[in-house]
């Protein structure tokens, strides 16, 4: 990296450098001094229970108290404002840095006080209320900031002024628990009771009796939420019953439910009541619509009933409730319909059908909107419950959930990869790329494994949704910021998995071969890349190519790596290739290094797992008969042999191992 040295502290042995292009180009002037009211940005240096310290530049540092960090309550400020986070704040005060304090840096020139609350950053300074604007006896709208046992703290809207509503002033009735009634963020209405000019303190009241004459008292008064709705419903029902009784008493003719003309009398009574309250325009419209029976009126009445509107029942729907009158009217209508042409009948029928279809479609859309609204409310309720009990952190479902989790744990590569997968599920590939770039910027440079995981996810994304050029460009970028060998190994692994699931094997195979060849050419002194290439060839059943590659690897690798490379290749032959070729390679190694018990034990394990148990016994018999090993090595050899017989042999074979061990001990004593 290219940087510019700005300062050197001989006492501390620290060097201040800058990576900013302007500094590198020669601009060494200090940043301008921030002014009161400016919106500035900086990086968090330290966070504790009292507040947060922010560095704006080499010469400017700021601090923000706990109450000025957020509009709400922060139980753990360290999680919300971790070290290194970029934050915004409004400058409240600027003062020169004291020179006598030893803990301050020499380059520090200014100290400022910051307010990082969102309400402060977004508020309008011109229309903002000040402490002098607040008058005793005035009413204001505000937001609940904090709930304590002794009262509620409320901040007035469009201001930074907050005050206390004592528990005795929260309601006209007794409240047992304030926390059960108020939550930070609730909108309330307050009355200013007292104002302390000297200490800048204000006392509020939220009693409902103060706001009874206000038009919006239902919205601001908390006591309205405590009203017993059941009593109101009973009062309304009792009033309706009284009205019906009064009407029945006033009428000269009583209505008997057993009368066969009960429906017609009831309709006439209710029509008379509705006509007294309607205006002349309604009467004209009713007279014009008489004589036509419409199904639309029934549908509209059903819809009004569903919405809960308490209106008088309109019985004037175009026909009489009296059965006899209905028969006479129907006969008259039939006689009149005979005089109409057939064409007129068909036209009227089609128009009626169209009107009925339109009304039904409107009703269907209304019900659909209501159902959709109910689903949205249920989803919102479910999300709130998940946030309350903590399950939202386990299964984040929105971008906001991921951002909240990453703010507390920015070095978690698993979270970043799940964030990328979230955008991929929405088919938003550019956003997934932006998340990967953002993760690489925010993860600390010491977390190399976490960064490598992000690069692996980005390589997979470019391979599946990008082109060959973008995939290679991602590899080049990753190699500049990580261990190139690890990057190539991850890239080859991605392509190899794609080859296993690909239908076009020829093109994919050539791409994988080229990438493996490039990796071996660039890292020819590393045995791990050669072994990865050999394993790939054996999985593809290209045994001749694998043996040719092993010979090339032995020419490129250092001599002390040959033994381990051949041992690994022989193990691959047992697992993926031919057992006979694996035995040949191991026999050559054992013959060259007869005292390497570790190689012999690896050979023995592979023979037991992929070969023959009888051949393993023969190997042990021959090794014991040679007696070229030390006593300690022979003890390990007999233990290995006995464990093998315990697992695969019988009591006779176990006794044979004991006899061989006794014979060896007896020969050593002689």
């Amino acid at each position: 990296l290219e940087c510019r040295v700005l300062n050197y502290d001989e006492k501390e042995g620290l060097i201040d450098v800058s990576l900013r292009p302007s500094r590198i180009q020669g601009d060494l002037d200090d940043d301008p001094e921030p002014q009161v009211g400016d919106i500035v940005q900086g990086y968090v240096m330290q966070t504790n229970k009292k507040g947060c310290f922010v560095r704006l530049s080499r010469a400017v540092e700021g601090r923000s108290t706990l109450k000025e960090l957020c509009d709400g309550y922060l139980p753990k400020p360290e999680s919300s404002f971790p070290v290194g986070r970029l934050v915004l704040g409004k400058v409240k005060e600027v003062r020169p840095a004291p020179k006598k304090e030893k803990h301050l840096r020499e380059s520090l020139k200014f100290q400022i006080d910051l307010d990082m609350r969102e309400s402060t950053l977004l508020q309008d300074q011109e229309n903002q209320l000040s402490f002098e604007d607040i008058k005793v006896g005035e009413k204001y709208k505000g937001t609940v900031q904090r709930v304590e046992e002794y009262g509620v703290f409320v901040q007035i809207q469009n201001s930074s002024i907050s005050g206390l509503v004592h528990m005795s002033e929260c309601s006209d009735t007794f409240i047992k628990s304030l926390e059960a009634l108020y939550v930070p963020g609730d909108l309330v209405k307050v009355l200013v009771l007292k104002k302390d000019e000297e200490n800048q303190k204000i006392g509020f009241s939220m009693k409902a009796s103060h706001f009874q004459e206000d038009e919006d008292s239902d919205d601001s008064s908390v006591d309205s939420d405590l009203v017993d709705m059941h009593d109101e419903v009973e009062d309304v029902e009792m009033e309706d019953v009284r009205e019906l009784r009064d009407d029945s008493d006033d009428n000269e003719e009583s209505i008997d439910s057993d009368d066969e003309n009960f429906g017609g009398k009831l309709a006439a009574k209710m029509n008379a009541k509705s006509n007294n309250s309607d205006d002349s325009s309604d009467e004209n419209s009713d007279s014009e619509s008489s004589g036509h029976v419409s199904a639309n009126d029934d549908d509209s009445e059903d819809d009004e009933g569903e919405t809960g509107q308490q209106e008088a029942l309109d019985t004037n729907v175009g026909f009489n409730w009296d059965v006899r009158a209905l028969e006479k009217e129907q006969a008259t209508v039939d006689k009149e319909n005979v005089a109409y042409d057939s064409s007129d009948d068909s036209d009227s029928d089609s128009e009626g059908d169209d009107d009925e279809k339109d009304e039904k479609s409107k009703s269907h859309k209304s019900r659909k909107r209501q159902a959709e609204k109910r689903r949205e409310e249920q989803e919102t309720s479910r999300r709130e419950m998940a946030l309350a009990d903590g399950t939202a952190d386990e299964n984040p479902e929105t971008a906001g959930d991921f951002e909240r989790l990453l703010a507390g744990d920015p070095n978690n590569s698993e979270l970043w990869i799940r964030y990328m997968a979230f955008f991929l599920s929405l088919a938003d590939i550019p956003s997934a790329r932006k998340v990967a770039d953002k993760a690489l910027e925010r993860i600390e440079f010491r977390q190399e494994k976490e960064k490598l995981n992000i690069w692996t996810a980005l390589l997979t994304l470019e391979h599946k949704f990008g082109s060959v050029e973008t995939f290679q460009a991602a590899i080049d970028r990753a190699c500049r910021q990580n261990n190139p060998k690890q990057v190539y190994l991850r890239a080859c692994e991605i392509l190899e998995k794609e080859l296993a699931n690909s239908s076009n094997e020829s093109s994919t195979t050539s791409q994988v071969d080229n990438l493996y060849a490039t990796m071996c050419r660039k890292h020819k002194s590393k045995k791990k890349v050669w072994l990865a290439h050999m394993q790939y060839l054996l999985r593809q059943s290209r045994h001749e190519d694998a043996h040719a590659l092993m010979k090339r690897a032995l020419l490129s690798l250092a001599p002390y790596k040959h033994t381990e490379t051949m041992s690994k290749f022989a193990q691959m032959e047992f697992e993926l290739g031919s057992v006979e070729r694996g035995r040949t390679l191991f026999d050559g190694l054992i013959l060259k290094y007869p005292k390497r018990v570790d190689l012999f034990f690896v050979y023995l394990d592979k023979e037991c797992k992929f070969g023959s148990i009888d051949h393993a016994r023969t190997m042990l018999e021959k090794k014991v008969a040679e007696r070229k090993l030390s006593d300690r090595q022979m003890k390990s050899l007999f233990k290995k042999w006995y464990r093998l017989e315990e697992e695969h042999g019988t009591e006779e074979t176990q006794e044979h191992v004991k006899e061989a061990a006794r014979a060896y001990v007896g020969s050593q004593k002689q």
Side-chain angles (χ1 to χ4, degrees):
L1 295 176
E2 185 179 2
C3 61
R4 172 78 67 175
V5 177
L6 301 178
N7 186 28
Y8 173 63
D9 189 351
E10 296 181 356
K11 296 180 181 180
E12 300 291 337
L14 298 177
I15 301 176
D16 290 342
V17 299
S18 176
L19 301 177
R20 289 163 54 177
S22 59
R23 299 294 191 199
I24 296 174
Q25 294 174 4
D27 183 10
L28 302 180
D29 296 336
D30 291 334
D31 294 333
E33 174 188 352
Q35 302 297 324
V36 176
D38 291 348
I39 303 295
V40 296
Q41 61 181 1
Y43 291 93
V44 176
M45 299 168 52
Q46 182 184 1
T47 306
N48 52 35
K49 294 183 178 180
K50 295 183 178 180
C52 178
F53 292 91
V54 181
R55 174 174 293 178
L56 281 71
S57 64
R58 292 180 60 250
V60 183
E61 288 184 0
R63 69 173 184 179
S64 180
T65 59
L66 183 61
K67 69 176 183 179
E68 293 174 339
L69 288 178
C70 181
D71 291 316
Y73 173 65
L74 287 179
K76 294 182 179 180
E78 298 88 351
S79 301
S80 300
F81 294 90
V83 176
R85 179 180 177 182
L86 181 64
V87 295
L88 291 175
K90 178 175 286 188
V91 179
K92 294 177 56 182
E93 182 183 355
V94 181
R95 57 184 178 274
K99 300 295 184 182
K100 296 182 179 181
E101 297 186 15
K102 297 181 180 180
H103 67 280
L104 297 178
R105 296 179 292 105
E106 295 181 359
S107 59
L108 185 63
K109 296 181 180 180
F110 300 101
Q111 289 182 335
I112 64 175
D113 290 338
L114 293 174
D115 191 341
M116 296 193 294
R117 291 176 292 187
E118 184 178 358
S119 59
T120 304
L121 297 175
L122 299 179
Q123 67 188 0
D124 187 1
Q125 287 288 344
E126 297 180 358
N127 300 325
Q128 184 181 5
L129 296 176
S130 62
F131 188 82
E132 291 74 14
D133 297 332
I134 306 300
K135 305 297 182 183
V136 176
E138 293 290 333
K139 301 173 184 179
Y140 301 94
K141 292 183 179 180
T143 306
V144 175
Q145 298 285 26
R146 195 167 77 253
V147 181
E148 301 292 347
E149 295 180 357
Y150 50 84
V152 179
F153 288 91
V154 178
Q155 180 179 353
I156 298 177
Q157 286 186 357
N158 197 22
S159 72
S160 59
I161 301 170
S162 60
L164 173 65
V165 183
H166 193 265
M167 187 175 184
S168 60
E169 295 293 335
C170 288
S171 175
D172 292 318
T173 59
F174 174 71
I175 299 177
K176 185 176 181 180
S177 175
L178 291 176
E179 295 181 352
L181 188 59
Y182 299 98
V183 178
D186 288 349
L187 296 177
V188 295
K189 194 171 184 180
V190 295
L191 173 69
V192 180
L193 294 180
K194 55 185 177 179
K195 180 179 178 183
D196 189 350
E197 299 284 351
E198 183 178 355
N199 297 323
Q200 299 283 306
K201 293 182 179 179
I202 301 179
F204 295 134
S205 175
M206 293 192 299
K207 289 184 177 180
S209 57
H210 297 312
F211 311 104
Q212 289 180 354
E213 298 179 358
D214 297 347
E215 295 180 357
D216 56 347
S217 60
D218 292 339
D219 297 333
S220 59
S221 177
V222 180
D223 286 338
S224 63
D225 296 335
L226 303 176
V227 176
D228 190 356
M229 300 303 295
H230 179 69
D231 295 340
E232 291 185 357
V233 174
E234 288 184 350
D235 294 341
V236 173
E237 292 177 351
M238 291 301 297
E239 290 178 1
D240 294 340
V241 172
R242 292 191 191 100
E243 291 180 0
L244 290 175
R245 287 180 178 177
D246 294 340
D247 293 340
S248 62
D249 294 339
D250 294 339
N251 291 338
E252 296 178 356
E253 181 181 0
S254 61
I255 302 175
D256 187 4
S257 60
D258 295 333
D259 190 357
E260 62 179 359
N261 199 17
F262 169 73
K265 293 181 180 180
L266 177 62
K269 170 181 167 53
M270 301 190 73
N271 280 330
K273 180 180 178 181
S274 61
N275 291 334
N276 293 332
S277 61
D278 292 341
D279 55 10
S280 59
S281 61
D282 293 333
E283 292 177 357
N284 294 333
S285 61
D286 291 341
S287 62
E288 291 174 0
S289 61
S290 61
H292 298 281
V293 180
S294 175
N296 298 336
D297 295 336
D298 295 338
D299 295 339
S300 61
E301 288 180 0
D302 294 340
D303 293 340
E304 291 176 359
E306 291 176 359
T307 55
Q309 296 179 355
Q310 297 180 355
E311 296 180 356
L313 178 63
D314 185 10
T315 58
N316 188 8
V317 293
F319 62 90
N320 294 324
W321 291 89
D322 190 355
V323 177
R324 297 174 182 174
L326 179 61
E327 292 177 354
K328 294 179 181 179
E329 182 179 355
Q330 184 66 32
T332 304
V333 171
D334 292 341
K335 292 179 180 180
E336 292 177 355
N337 288 339
V338 173
Y340 291 140
D341 295 332
S342 59
S343 59
D344 295 338
D345 294 340
S346 60
D347 293 340
S348 61
D349 292 341
S350 61
E351 290 177 359
D353 294 340
D354 293 340
D355 295 340
E356 185 176 357
K357 290 180 180 178
D358 293 341
E359 196 66 29
K360 287 183 178 180
S361 62
K362 292 180 181 179
S363 177
H364 176 70
K365 291 180 180 179
S366 177
R367 290 194 296 271
K368 188 175 181 181
R369 285 195 298 270
Q370 292 178 2
E372 185 177 356
K373 186 177 180 180
R374 286 194 296 269
R375 285 195 297 270
E376 292 178 356
E377 292 176 353
Q378 293 174 358
E379 180 65 19
T380 303
S381 177
R382 186 186 66 81
R383 292 286 303 155
E384 291 176 352
M385 291 295 295
L387 290 172
D389 57 20
T391 56
D393 295 343
E394 299 176 0
N395 300 309
E397 299 178 358
T398 63
D401 293 343
F402 283 104
E403 292 290 349
R404 187 184 69 257
L405 294 176
L406 290 170
D409 191 7
N411 294 327
N412 192 339
S413 61
E414 181 183 357
L415 269 179
W416 287 108
I417 294 174
R418 290 172 64 186
Y419 196 5
M420 295 172 61
F422 166 73
F423 281 113
L424 289 178
S425 65
L426 302 177
D428 193 354
I429 299 173
S431 297
R433 290 193 179 101
K434 291 180 181 178
V435 170
D437 295 336
K438 186 177 180 181
L440 296 172
E441 292 177 0
R442 291 186 59 182
I443 295 178
E444 295 181 359
F445 67 92
R446 297 183 183 88
Q447 305 292 335
E448 296 182 358
K449 291 185 178 179
E450 303 294 333
K451 280 183 172 288
L452 185 59
N453 292 338
I454 300 297
W455 279 112
T456 304
L458 183 59
L459 289 174
T460 305
L461 185 148
E462 294 296 346
H463 176 64
K464 287 187 175 182
F465 304 103
S467 59
V468 178
E469 292 76 13
T470 57
F471 181 67
Q472 186 60 42
I475 293 176
D476 296 338
R477 285 178 55 202
C479 289
R480 288 194 294 269
Q481 301 184 26
N482 292 272
N483 186 350
K485 182 185 74 173
Q486 296 295 334
V487 173
Y488 269 100
L489 287 173
R490 296 285 182 94
C492 292
E493 183 180 355
I494 293 171
L495 291 181
E496 190 173 351
K497 289 181 179 179
E498 182 67 20
L499 178 61
N501 301 324
S502 177
S503 59
N504 189 5
E505 296 185 359
S506 58
S507 60
T508 309
T509 302
S510 61
Q511 187 179 4
V512 180
D513 290 343
N514 294 334
L515 190 60
Y516 268 113
T518 304
M519 178 179 66
C520 293
R521 185 177 67 254
K522 290 187 176 182
H523 307 282
K524 58 183 179 181
S525 61
K526 308 293 183 181
K527 67 176 181 297
K528 195 171 184 178
V529 299
W530 292 102
L531 291 173
H533 196 179
M534 296 175 195
Q535 188 177 26
Y536 159 70
L537 293 175
L538 289 176
R539 283 176 179 169
Q540 299 296 318
S541 301
R542 297 160 60 180
H543 303 288
E544 296 181 0
D545 295 340
H547 281 269
L549 184 65
M550 187 191 68
K551 295 178 182 178
R552 287 177 51 201
L554 295 178
L555 295 176
S556 301
L557 295 174
Y560 70 90
K561 296 182 179 181
H562 289 182
T563 303
E564 187 175 357
T565 302
M566 294 185 65
S567 174
K568 294 286 186 182
F569 184 70
Q571 296 175 45
M572 293 178 193
E573 282 287 359
F574 267 101
E575 298 173 4
L576 304 172
S578 171
V579 175
E580 292 298 331
R581 284 195 294 268
R583 289 172 180 170
T584 303
L585 292 172
F586 269 120
D587 289 338
L589 289 174
I590 298 300
L591 184 62
K592 187 175 182 180
Y593 304 101
K595 294 186 177 182
R596 289 283 300 271
V597 183
D598 56 336
L599 290 177
F600 181 78
F601 285 166
V602 172
Y603 183 14
L604 191 65
D605 291 339
K606 294 299 178 183
E607 186 65 42
C608 293
K609 188 174 183 179
F610 299 100
S612 171
I613 300 297
D614 295 335
H615 190 271
R617 291 194 180 100
T618 304
M619 291 167 52
L620 289 167
E621 294 279 0
K622 187 184 298 184
K623 197 68 176 178
V624 170
E626 290 178 358
R627 299 191 178 184
K628 295 181 180 180
L629 303 177
S630 62
D631 293 343
R632 188 174 182 179
Q633 290 176 329
M634 289 298 295
K635 182 179 179 180
S636 301
L637 187 65
F638 280 116
K639 285 184 177 180
K640 185 76 172 178
W641 191 1
Y642 189 76
R643 285 196 296 269
L644 184 147
E645 295 297 344
E646 282 183 336
E647 186 176 355
H648 301 284
T650 61
E651 294 182 359
E652 295 179 357
T653 56
Q654 295 175 16
E655 190 65 28
H656 176 67
V657 176
K658 294 179 181 178
E659 290 294 335
R662 295 190 192 100
Y664 173 77
V665 173
S667 63
Q668 290 298 108
K669 289 182 179 180
Q670 296 177 359

